[in-house]
Each structure stands twice: as C-alpha cells, then as structure tokens.
Amino acid sequence: MGRGEREIVGRGVRLAEAAGRVGEDLDRAVGAVREALRPLHDGLAERELANIPVARLRDVTEGRLRLGELERGGFRSVRDVLDAGAYRLRQTPGVGQRTAEQAVAAARQIADAVRETVAVRIDVDRPEPATTALVAALYVLVEAGPQARRAADAGRELAARLRPLLERAGPAAARWRMLFAGRAGRQGALAAVAELRQLIEEAEQAGLPEEFAQASADLLRRPDSDLAAWVDFEVRSAEYYSLLAEVSGRGPDTAAVEGHLPDEVAARVREQRLDDTHCRVALRGYQAFGARFALAQRRVLLGDEMGLGKTVQAVAALAHLAAQGESHFLVVCPASVLINWTREIEARSTLRALPLHGPDRQEAFADWKGRGGVGVTTFDALRGFPAPGGGEIGLLVVDEAHYVKNPLTRRAEAVTAWADRCERVLFLTGTPMENRVAEFRNLVRILRPDFADKVDEQDSVAGSTAFRRAVAPVYLRRNQQDVLAELPVLQHTDEWEELSRSDEEAYRDAVRAGNFMAMRRAAYARPQDSAKLQRLRELVAEAAENGLKAVVFSAFRDVLGVVEDALGGRAVFGPVTGSVPPARRQQIVDDFSAAPGHAVLLAQIEAGGVGLNMQAASVVILCEPQIKPTIEHQAVARAHRMGQVRPVQVHRLLATGGVDERMVRMLENKTRLFDAYARRSAVAESTPDAVDVSDVALARRIVEEEQARLGVATTDAGRMSTAGIDAAGMDFAPMDAGGIDAAGMDSAPMDAGGIDAAHRHAEGAAAE
C-alpha cells in the first residue's frame, strides 16, 4: 500500500465530484426554468380566476352554497373570494362562518384545478421581460440537449456507487490513517480500493468523465444575448415547449396522450422502456408514448393528425431498437418525402441513413445489407429488392401507409411480402381511419391478419373514441386539440424534394440561360412530372382529410396557375395576385374563410402577404424559398396571428442540390440574427428591404455557382451581369393599371436597384 492506492482514491474522489456536479448543474438549470415560469403561470392563473364568476362556486358544492349575500357584497369572481379570505367574507352582512369557509374551500378547489390546467404560451411577437427570462432559461436546457439529462442520470448512478467505496477506502488515502485503521480496516480499505479501481476504469472506458465535463459546460452556457435566445426559440420552438411541459409537469390530459386506449393496452405501453441513447432531441410526452406503443405492440398503425411528429416517433423507435443491438432498419415512403426522411433520421438520431433510390439503388442496397443502418426507399423501388429473411430487419416503417390500402396493387404486394418477414412493423398515416373501415381493415390485414376480421363497421358508427378503443391493439391516433396544450402555434417543416428527370432538364435550361427566376420556378415548369407539385398535392390531401384549411404561396403567378390546375375542384379560392383589386382580394379571403371545412387559398406571396388576414388557414405551403426572409415572415404572419386557434403548420417546398438549397443556406447564414432583430424594429416593419442582403449579388452568385456545378455552357443572355439578371432573370413586362405586370413575376421594369426595385414595386402595389 502506498502511492498507488492514494492515487486511486484521489481519482475516485474527483470522479465522484464530477458525477455529482453534473446532476447539480442540471437541477440548477431546471430550477431556473421553474423560477422563471412561476410568475408567468401564477399571473395566468390569477387572470383566469378573475374571469370565473362567483356563481361557479355553487357547482363545486352541488348547489348547497348560498351566494346571494356574497354577490350583493361586491364579490364578483372566484379570485375576489380567495383574496378576501374567510375573515373578510364574514364581515359581509348575511354571510356566516360556515358559508364563508365553504366559499373559500370551493374557491381553492377551483383555483387548484385552474393552476393544473392553464398553459403558458410564449408570444414571440411580444417579448416581455418575464417571457424573455423564461426563454433564456429554457435555452440552456435546449442547447445542452437530451445528452445532458443522460449524463446527469449516469452521474447520479455512478456517484451513488462511488460514495460507499470511497468511504470504505478512506484509510488508504493517507499513510497515518492506515496505521490506525487496524487489520480489518486495512483489509477493507484495500478491497474497496480494488473495487474502486475497476469502477473507475469502467467509467473511463465508457467515456463518462468527458460526458460529465461536456454536460456541465453545456449546462452553464448562457445565450449570448436575449435576442439570441429568442431567435433560437423561433427556430426550435417545439423543443422549447417540450421541455417546458416536462419541467412544469403540466402536459396534456393523460387519456388524450394515450389516445383513449383501454387500460390493459395503455398499461402495457407504459411499462415499455424507451432507450433514447441514440436520440438527438427530447421527445414530447405524447411522442414518447407513441414510440413505446410501436415497440410494445410490435405491429401497429400510428395515425396521429398531421403536425404531431409521426416521423420523430418512428425515429425514436428505431433509435431504441438500435440501442438494443438491432442493426438493420427499412423505411418505405413516397418518393416525395424520401429526402426528408433521410435528413430527419440524421438530424434527430445518431443512426446512419442511406437512400435506396435512383439508378444506384442496387449498389446502395448491397451497402446497406453489409453495413446496416436505416435504408430509406420508395414503394416502387421496394419491388426491386429481395424480401429479407426472418429476423434480419429490426423495424419496417411504412410512411403514408394509405398508399397500400388496395391489396391488389403491386406496391401493396411488395409491402406485404416484406411485412410478412419482419417481426416489427410500423405503419404511419395522417389520414383518419374512422370513416374508412374497409381501407383500415386492409392495412390491418398486413399487420395483424388475425385481428383484421374483428374490425367492425359498427365501431366506426359509434364514434371515433369507440372505434379507437375497439382497434386499440393496432391503432393509435391523437388529435392536435387534445395534445397541443403547451406546444407552439407555429411549426416549420422544410420539405426537401429530389427533382424528377424532367424537373432537372427544365432547371438545366434555366441555368444555361442564366435566368435566375426561371431557375427558382423550374420545378413547376413541367407539371406532369413535378416532384414539388406531387408533394404539394399530398400535403393538401392530408389537410383535406383532417378538415384543415390551407393557403399556398408563391412569388410567381404562373406557378399558382400550375397549382390551381393540379388541385382543381370547388374548394380552391384565388389566386390572390397583385393585379387583383384590394377589395376583391379581401372578398376572396372572406369566401375562403367562410367555406365549411377544408379549402385552399392560392396567393402570390407579396400580394397575399400584406394586409390580408388568413387566420382560417392552419396549413401554409410555400412553393419556393423567397429572396428575402422578411417576405416569408410577412406571408406566414397572415395566418399565424391573433385569432388563430389552431397551431399553424408551415411547409416550405425545397429542391435538393440547386438554387433552393443555395438560397436557404446563404440566407440562413448571413441574415438570421440580423433579420430577427430587424423584424422587431419599427423601421424594418415599414421597410423590410433595408435589412436583407443584396438580391442582385445573391442571384448573380447563385447562377454562376450553378453554371459551374452543372458544367453548362452559357448563352449570351446568360452571361452574368446586372443586365443579365435584370433581363433574363425576371421576365419583365409593361406595368398594368394595378402596378403589376402580366408576366409570371408581376414585376416592374428594373432600375439600378435590380431585383430589389422589382420587389419594392410589387410590395407597393400589393399594399394599395
């Protein structure tokens, strides 16, 4: 015994301190959120109680409480009763001790219920000191990520194992202590040192000291400024609200979260552990339950309403199975969402995602078979792959599962063949199945043939809750209004699409001509095979299935014409363009708002994005990214504003590898913080052009880079200059009476300001 033992004890002490510290740091960060939340929550509860009339106390006491004297005494609300207390109530003529005590007890019962149910919402357009403090406190937890919680849990567990060993090994820390420890004490100390050495080595091999240090550093990191915290909240609001619900413990109703499942099914799902080791984001409560449902029930259909994150729940299930040792997974989806799936898997988990699509799909399939990961393929491509052997696939995920509702189609046959070989299968669809019992039965027959014949049409007739209870072993659906009590009212999704062959040809032609605006709308130039248009149809169809209204924005009138032709039908209103007189524009919006159920409004973004309120819409689709971030913000704000009672889902259609990707990257990198600041300034609200990057410079750079990337020879009109962008890129035409031209862009003749001037002219006309 000597220096070696003392060194081990010293390492153990330092490791225990680091392990304990990370838990303390997490507790401190959580405490800061609770401290910031308390005044907001209490203030909201107080305002709610002030609006509840005294008469409601009678409901709590089943009509036994006499309230006439209280009301005549000037007590109007439940809050008045609580503020007064029993003593002051007794001073009111006709109010005795018993009545006063009963009134206060009933008021407290109502107050407890209110405090349990009120949900704090963060208004990004009205940042106040109290909400800023809450956002800044949440920023720490969001930035630290779920790995901080995992590190804290591991730290607490390790510290609990280290403490008794360090106590027993204490005599070995100093020579004089060993001398006075006695024989038994020395032997015990040496044995503890041996156990301590092994535990330290295990922790170091697992990288725990580094995890603790990183988590503690992350949990101590504050936002650079209040502005930076607000900007981050706008970008990742779902994660903020998820953590807020977790910290406050005030999530949605448990029965709603569990989709009104019968007790025996819900209990089995609750018992299912969810390993989030490979997850990069924190799940909301209902999302964690959905992932556990898929794992516990093994072969199921997740039918959450659009906007609730079915993809995230599927990724969480994949991540759990990967942590349990599974290596191969397959996602089957429409081609329009293949890129989105790949990006979501990579962004939200540590799993390897591999597209099995395109001309090299067989080579990619062989790579996936050999190395594992999450293969992502399409319904059509799936038919070209051999079905797996039993036990090879950890989980088969089928997105937009209603695509295989007809068992006679080849895609349904291929999915069935794969599903028969997989122990776990997860179907996803936002289409409500309650009114499509025959289609639902066909899907269930793939998942659970033994259960399909038990699906009864009468269960649907009895209502959605009765239907869900009857099919609970295989079907889980939650609605937004049930589970979004503390979720953001604005949810952004970038819908990345891979251009079709004809899209690519149109895009190359536009690049060769140096025509920036033609490049931006090339994805709609050949509608019969447009990848973006196909995804737009799917989004509108899903909105229709859920009875939601949608507004479709584009900068280009010809794109809106293509969309109108593709959608057709009586439920399409507009388009609202700059050449439509203001009174007529408002009438179109009013007709759209008054239409019962689902409807679609088409609007040119600079005409529909100014002066019109579209809060009837809860789905916003942007056909292409805009040159100015402020234009998108103003357009989305038409729907996401006071009076909107449902969360607004914003879907921005983007094509990979070309002008869209370059525009998004440039605008995000160069204007994110500055634009967020400017949107809160009075100057920027009136002159949004003042805060945006130079459009001419951006356009020139993008066109030149795309010409170089594609290796295309440019025409004379396509040679890059200000005149080239002006003449070839904007499709100008003479102005009409409304200040808008007849071309696709509805723009004015260019001045020295280039594209900026065209935008200003269009904005001015739109605001008339």
Side-chain angles (χ1 to χ4, degrees), residues 180-208:
F180 292 99
R183 182 176 180 182
R186 286 193 293 271
Q187 288 177 343
L190 292 175
V193 168
E195 291 183 53
L196 197 58
R197 178 186 287 109
Q198 182 177 350
L199 185 54
I200 293 171
E201 290 175 353
E202 290 174 358
E204 290 176 346
Q205 288 174 1
L208 291 182

Side-chain angles (χ1 to χ4, degrees), residues 8 91 102 145 168 170 210 260 264 371 406 411 422-423 428 494 527 556 562 663 675 690 694 736 740 743:
I8 291 297
Q91 312 308 308
Q102 286 181 336
R168 286 165 46 204
E210 292 80 6
H260 303 284
E264 64 275 13
R371 298 174 57 198
N406 184 350
R411 64 173 57 147
C422 298
E423 181 181 347
L428 306 175
D494 280 348
F556 307 102
V562 168
M663 286 179 66
D675 179 56
S694 167
D736 64 17
I740 308 296

Side-chain angles (χ1 to χ4, degrees), residues 436-456:
R436 292 171 170 74
V437 177
E439 295 175 6
F440 179 74
R441 190 184 290 119
N442 289 337
L443 296 179
V444 172
R445 189 163 281 114
I446 301 174
L447 295 167
R448 291 275 303 274
D450 59 316
F451 192 80
D453 294 333
K454 300 177 184 178
V455 178
D456 193 338

Side-chain angles (χ1 to χ4, degrees), residues 581-737:
R584 176 56 185 154
R585 294 181 212 169
Q586 187 60 59
Q587 186 60 52
I588 292 172
V589 173
D590 291 345
D591 292 344
F592 163 75
S593 301
H598 168 72
V600 180
L601 175 66
L602 306 180
Q604 193 173 11
I605 197 162
E606 292 184 17
V610 177
L612 297 174
N613 295 336
M614 305 171 180
Q615 57 261 46
S618 51
V619 177
V620 175
I621 301 173
L622 302 170
C623 290
E624 70 283 320
Q626 302 307 306
I627 292 177
K628 299 173 183 295
T630 46
I631 294 174
E632 286 189 12
H633 172 75
Q634 289 170 346
V636 172
R638 296 305 99 204
H640 177 225
R641 59 190 298 106
M642 191 67 69
Q644 171 59 254
V645 296
R646 293 179 64 88
V648 176
Q649 304 163 41
V650 181
H651 299 267
R652 184 166 59 166
L653 300 176
L654 302 168
T656 59
V659 62
D660 288 1
E661 193 155 357
R662 291 183 183 277
M663 286 179 66
V664 168
R665 186 169 61 249
M666 287 181 181
L667 293 172
E668 284 181 350
N669 289 344
K670 294 188 176 182
T671 69
R672 180 176 160 195
L673 275 171
F674 188 47
D675 179 56
Y677 167 76
R679 274 193 274 120
R680 292 177 175 80
S681 74
V683 174
E685 289 295 340
S686 59
T687 57
D689 300 307
V691 302
D692 289 306
V693 296
S694 167
D695 297 333
V696 174
L698 182 147
R700 179 184 292 112
R701 178 176 170 186
I702 289 176
V703 172
E704 289 175 346
E705 288 181 354
E706 284 299 280
Q707 288 176 337
R709 180 179 71 87
L710 297 177
V712 298
T714 60
T715 63
D716 288 340
R719 291 197 176 93
M720 293 314 301
S721 66
T722 302
I725 298 173
D726 293 352
M730 292 295 291
D731 294 342
F732 303 114
M735 298 294 290
D736 64 17

Side-chain angles (χ1 to χ4, degrees), residues 3-303:
R3 182 179 300 174
E5 287 76 10
R6 290 195 295 274
E7 181 184 345
I8 291 297
V9 173
R11 288 168 61 192
V13 168
R14 290 190 295 274
L15 183 58
E17 289 174 348
R21 189 181 304 116
V22 69
E24 294 170 0
D25 291 337
L26 179 62
D27 291 343
R28 189 179 302 109
V30 170
V33 172
R34 288 179 176 148
E35 189 67 24
L37 176 63
R38 188 176 297 113
L40 289 168
H41 179 266
D42 291 349
L44 191 61
E46 290 295 307
R47 288 192 293 275
E48 186 75 15
L49 291 170
N51 291 324
I52 299 176
V54 164
R56 288 290 303 277
L57 298 178
R58 188 178 289 111
D59 299 336
V60 178
T61 59
E62 298 180 351
R64 295 192 303 271
L65 189 60
R66 297 168 55 194
L67 299 172
E69 289 81 0
L70 288 177
E71 292 173 329
R72 282 189 288 275
F75 297 98
R76 299 284 179 256
S77 69
V78 172
R79 180 178 174 180
D80 290 343
V81 172
L82 288 171
D83 289 344
Y87 176 78
R88 280 186 54 199
L89 292 180
R90 288 200 305 272
Q91 312 308 308
T92 304
V95 177
Q97 181 174 347
R98 183 178 179 184
T99 298
E101 291 176 349
Q102 286 181 336
V104 171
R108 285 174 178 162
Q109 189 174 343
I110 291 176
D112 289 342
V114 167
R115 291 189 179 97
E116 284 296 317
T117 55
V118 294
V120 172
R121 287 190 178 277
I122 300 171
D123 190 345
V124 72
D125 293 320
R126 292 193 177 108
E128 299 175 351
T131 51
T132 297
L134 177 59
V135 170
L138 284 167
Y139 172 93
V140 176
L141 291 175
V142 172
E143 189 68 14
Q147 54 269 30
R149 177 181 52 77
R150 287 195 290 265
D153 291 343
R156 292 188 181 101
E157 180 182 348
L158 182 60
R161 296 176 63 189
L162 285 170
R163 288 190 194 103
L165 289 176
L166 288 170
E167 186 175 346
R168 286 165 46 204
R175 184 172 302 174
W176 65 269
R177 291 183 64 183
M178 287 292 277
L179 290 175
F180 292 99
R183 182 176 180 182
R186 286 193 293 271
Q187 288 177 343
L190 292 175
V193 168
E195 291 183 53
L196 197 58
R197 178 186 287 109
Q198 182 177 350
L199 185 54
I200 293 171
E201 290 175 353
E202 290 174 358
E204 290 176 346
Q205 288 174 1
L208 291 182
E210 292 80 6
E211 286 186 24
F212 298 156
Q214 184 63 57
S216 287
D218 291 341
L219 290 165
L220 294 173
R221 185 178 296 119
R222 298 294 182 267
D224 293 336
S225 64
D226 291 343
L227 171 62
W230 275 109
V231 171
D232 195 65
F233 171 77
E234 290 193 63
V235 175
R236 299 190 284 180
S237 57
E239 294 178 47
Y240 278 75
Y241 275 103
S242 174
L243 282 166
L244 182 60
E246 181 181 333
V247 170
S248 67
R250 297 185 183 94
D253 177 69
T254 300
V257 167
E258 297 178 350
H260 303 284
L261 296 177
D263 290 341
E264 64 275 13
V265 178
R268 185 160 56 250
V269 175
R270 289 186 214 113
E271 292 171 0
Q272 170 67 51
R273 188 177 67 89
L274 184 63
D275 191 330
D276 64 353
T277 302
H278 294 297
C279 280
R280 286 196 169 117
V281 294
L283 298 177
R284 304 157 203 168
Y286 75 89
Q287 291 174 333
F289 186 86
R292 292 202 301 270
F293 176 78
L295 295 167
Q297 298 299 101
R298 292 179 175 268
R299 301 173 68 89
V300 298
L301 173 61
L302 180 60

Side-chain angles (χ1 to χ4, degrees), residues 219-473:
L219 290 165
L220 294 173
R221 185 178 296 119
R222 298 294 182 267
D224 293 336
S225 64
D226 291 343
L227 171 62
W230 275 109
V231 171
D232 195 65
F233 171 77
E234 290 193 63
V235 175
R236 299 190 284 180
S237 57
E239 294 178 47
Y240 278 75
Y241 275 103
S242 174
L243 282 166
L244 182 60
E246 181 181 333
V247 170
S248 67
R250 297 185 183 94
D253 177 69
T254 300
V257 167
E258 297 178 350
H260 303 284
L261 296 177
D263 290 341
E264 64 275 13
V265 178
R268 185 160 56 250
V269 175
R270 289 186 214 113
E271 292 171 0
Q272 170 67 51
R273 188 177 67 89
L274 184 63
D275 191 330
D276 64 353
T277 302
H278 294 297
C279 280
R280 286 196 169 117
V281 294
L283 298 177
R284 304 157 203 168
Y286 75 89
Q287 291 174 333
F289 186 86
R292 292 202 301 270
F293 176 78
L295 295 167
Q297 298 299 101
R298 292 179 175 268
R299 301 173 68 89
V300 298
L301 173 61
L302 180 60
D304 284 347
E305 190 176 16
M306 68 185 299
L308 293 185
K310 293 184 289 293
T311 302
V312 174
Q313 296 174 66
V315 171
L318 294 168
H320 169 89
L321 292 169
Q324 305 307 303
E326 296 287 352
S327 59
H328 288 72
F329 310 96
L330 188 71
V331 173
V332 185
C333 61
S336 57
V337 295
L338 183 140
I339 298 299
N340 279 342
W341 265 101
T342 303
R343 292 181 179 230
E344 285 288 290
I345 292 166
E346 292 174 342
R348 300 181 183 276
S349 76
T350 62
L351 306 182
R352 172 179 180 254
L354 184 65
L356 312 179
H357 180 57
D360 299 326
R361 57 183 176 272
Q362 292 298 340
E363 291 82 354
F365 182 81
D367 180 40
W368 169 72
K369 288 276 286 185
R371 298 174 57 198
V374 185
V376 185
T377 192
T378 65
F379 289 104
D380 291 337
L382 182 68
R383 299 202 309 267
F385 302 139
E392 288 185 23
I393 306 298
L395 177 64
L396 172 66
V397 179
V398 180
D399 192 17
E400 306 290 357
H402 50 273
Y403 274 44
V404 295
K405 63 188 178 184
N406 184 350
L408 301 180
T409 61
R410 289 188 294 174
R411 64 173 57 147
E413 291 174 353
V415 167
T416 301
W418 275 74
D420 287 345
R421 304 291 187 89
C422 298
E423 181 181 347
R424 298 178 185 273
V425 183
L426 174 57
F427 280 7
L428 306 175
T429 179
T431 300
M433 291 286 112
E434 286 84 334
N435 300 323
R436 292 171 170 74
V437 177
E439 295 175 6
F440 179 74
R441 190 184 290 119
N442 289 337
L443 296 179
V444 172
R445 189 163 281 114
I446 301 174
L447 295 167
R448 291 275 303 274
D450 59 316
F451 192 80
D453 294 333
K454 300 177 184 178
V455 178
D456 193 338
E457 302 259 358
Q458 296 304 313
D459 295 323
S460 174
V461 175
S464 62
T465 300
F467 175 81
R468 293 182 205 174
R469 287 184 178 276
V471 299

